[in-house]
């Protein structure tokens, strides 16, 4: 009888233990498609890692700001070209990624793809062998900061991560997969407060596309940009607290 009682208690503890079950975070962003003919920042020369392409603070519209005016810098051909990367509604679609955790690591959420091609066969995918290699992807989220949180990224090409509107990961340029980690404890945040999280990715060159995330931040899904929101269905309209990007 004692053994049965002990087993019953243990099963009850497991039933209420969050670490006993895997969880997921779904993040919906916007993918924009390009060709080298419509924007020659794509399939430009492979210059490797180039930091400093964007300003260290997000613009008023919640997007990265090119830091070099009309000048070419790091295979980006001026502010007009760069503006197109994360603005406009033509040739854009919503796309979601799902971060998962495990019983062994319940507080760490991961997404990993060594073949990240979300719009193969869609939009401007004409005359490109194998995959659609020329696109950008952005995600806007928020989270409640808790001490000890980290965010790690590995991938190519350009990646910029902003937390609280400040640049915390700068992996600009056309390059092979690179990794960076930010410890949120170093950012001067206040535990229990809510902060913005903004992620910007660009795939600009054949022949690889890697996107890997590992984080202990519990990110909240956001309504994507208005022009792509309708494609997700009216059910998303009611999501509270979303920051809409224009």
């Amino acid at each position: 009888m004692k053994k049965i009682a002990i087993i019953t208690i243990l099963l009850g503890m497991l039933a209420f233990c969050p670490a006993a079950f895997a969880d997921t975070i779904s993040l919906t962003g916007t993918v924009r498609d390009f060709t080298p003919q419509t924007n020659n920042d794509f399939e430009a020369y492979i210059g490797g890692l180039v930091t400093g392409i964007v300003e260290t603070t997000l613009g008023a519209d919640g997007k990265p700001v090119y830091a070099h005016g009309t000048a070419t810098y790091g295979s980006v051909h001026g502010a007009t070209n760069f503006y197109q990367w994360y603005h406009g509604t033509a040739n854009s679609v919503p796309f979601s990624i799902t971060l998962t955790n495990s019983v062994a690591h319940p507080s760490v959420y991961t997404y990993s793809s060594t073949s990240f091609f979300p719009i193969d066969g869609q939009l401007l995918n004409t005359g490109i062998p194998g995959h659609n290699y020329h696109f950008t992807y952005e995600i806007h989220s928020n989270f409640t900061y808790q001490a000890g949180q980290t965010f790690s990224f590995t991938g190519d090409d350009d990646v910029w991560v902003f937390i609280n509107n400040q640049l915390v990961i700068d992996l600009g340029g056309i390059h092979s997969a690179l990794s960076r980690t930010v410890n949120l404890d170093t950012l001067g945040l206040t535990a229990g407060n809510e902060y913005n999280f903004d992620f910007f990715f660009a795939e600009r060159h054949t022949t690889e596309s890697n996107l890997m995330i590992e984080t202990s931040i519990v990110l909240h899904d956001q309504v994507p940009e208005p022009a792509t929101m309708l494609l997700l269905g009216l059910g998303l309209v009611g999501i509270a607290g979303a920051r809409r990007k224009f």
Side-chain angles (χ1 to χ4, degrees), residues 49-245:
L49 175 65
V50 180
T51 60
I53 292 176
V54 301
E55 301 284 357
T56 57
T57 300
L58 280 179
D61 60 356
K63 305 298 181 80
V65 178
Y66 184 64
H68 304 278
T70 60
T72 296
Y73 183 84
S75 72
V76 180
H77 300 84
T80 299
N81 267 24
F82 183 79
Y83 183 86
Q84 297 173 5
W85 290 24
Y86 303 109
H87 292 84
T89 58
N91 301 308
S92 66
V93 292
F95 185 79
S96 298
I97 61 173
T98 299
L99 285 66
T100 61
N101 64 13
S102 66
V103 173
H105 302 286
S107 64
V108 178
Y109 297 84
T110 61
Y111 175 85
S112 180
S113 175
T114 57
S115 184
F116 184 69
F117 297 105
I119 51 172
D120 275 0
Q122 301 179 53
L123 304 176
L124 301 176
N125 190 183
T126 57
I128 303 173
H131 297 289
N132 188 337
Y133 285 97
H134 307 121
F135 61 89
T136 65
Y137 183 42
E138 62 180 292
I139 295 171
H140 304 282
S141 181
N142 55 30
F143 66 97
T144 301
Y145 166 62
Q146 302 295 342
Q149 290 175 330
T150 61
F151 180 88
S152 298
F153 175 84
T154 298
D156 64 289
D157 291 304
D158 313 74
V159 169
W160 297 286
V161 177
F162 292 80
I163 291 177
N164 196 26
N165 298 326
Q166 301 302 307
L167 182 64
V168 297
I169 291 180
D170 184 357
L171 288 173
I174 298 176
H175 53 73
S176 57
L178 297 172
S179 300
R180 291 291 186 273
T181 295
V182 56
N183 180 349
L184 273 63
D185 292 351
T186 66
L187 303 181
L189 308 180
T190 301
N193 284 2
E194 188 172 276
Y195 295 95
N196 297 337
F197 174 92
D198 300 277
F199 174 87
F200 301 91
F201 174 90
E203 175 55 44
R204 292 203 282 147
H205 207 289
T206 56
T207 58
E208 296 180 353
S209 182
N210 299 277
L211 195 156
M212 286 154 260
I213 291 170
E214 183 176 286
T215 185
S216 54
I217 306 172
V218 181
L219 296 165
H220 305 146
D221 199 11
Q222 297 282 337
V223 175
E225 302 203 10
T228 58
M229 182 176 66
L230 294 177
L231 299 177
L232 290 175
L234 296 177
L236 288 175
V237 175
I239 295 177
R243 289 186 301 141
R244 299 186 181 186
K245 302 291 179 180

Side-chain angles (χ1 to χ4, degrees), residues 29-48:
T30 300
V31 177
R32 290 180 177 83
D33 197 14
F34 297 88
T35 70
Q37 292 72 41
T38 59
N39 187 316
N40 64 345
D41 293 345
F42 295 83
E43 209 62 23
Y45 77 91
I46 302 174

